[in-house]
Amino acid sequence: MSASPSKSPADPVHRVAYDPQANRLTINVHGFWTLDDVPRLAVAVGAKAQEARAVRGDFDVLVESLDFPVQANDVADLLTNIMRGGMALTSGRAGIVVGSQLNKLQAERTLAHPRLKVFLSFDEAEAWFADKP
């Protein structure tokens, strides 16, 4: 039995990008996380959210988490803190696309916010973003 490779900063478990044309912050997360992974995401999201806010205060957020299995409760709790901090920086919406019904249940339980919705497909998320009041 071979050991699984360890994660390193050169092999991140997340990507964060802001597209000013779409006015959207996109966060891609994958893999099973440890508590050590969460602060790196917090720093990256905070920096990009501030960049987005400098352009427009109503940016949307799309979290792509199709390859992000159900996480340990302590990790999920810390991810909730990142969501709360990020949502305070925008008046836009946040959509999270997950890979399974179990992931959807965890995300809906831990990431509850009136401007956040969890989806099982990108098409559903895009339709929701397009249907803004």
Side-chain angles (χ1 to χ4, degrees), residues 50 52 55 107:
Q50 290 293 347
V55 175

Side-chain angles (χ1 to χ4, degrees), residues 43-108:
V43 168
V45 168
K48 286 295 180 184
Q50 290 293 347
E51 177 185 325
R53 187 176 185 183
V55 175
R56 285 181 52 183
D58 65 343
F59 63 90
D60 289 326
V61 179
L62 175 65
V63 180
E64 301 175 356
S65 61
L66 294 174
D67 297 318
F68 194 63
V70 170
Q71 301 293 310
N73 285 337
D74 52 356
V75 169
D77 290 345
L78 290 177
L79 293 172
T80 299
N81 294 338
I82 294 173
M83 180 275 300
R84 285 188 185 132
M87 292 303 289
L89 297 174
T90 182
S91 60
R93 292 177 166 187
I96 302 173
V97 181
V98 298
S100 73
Q101 188 63 42
L102 187 57
N103 288 96
K104 187 173 190 273
L105 291 171
Q106 184 180 50
E108 288 173 338

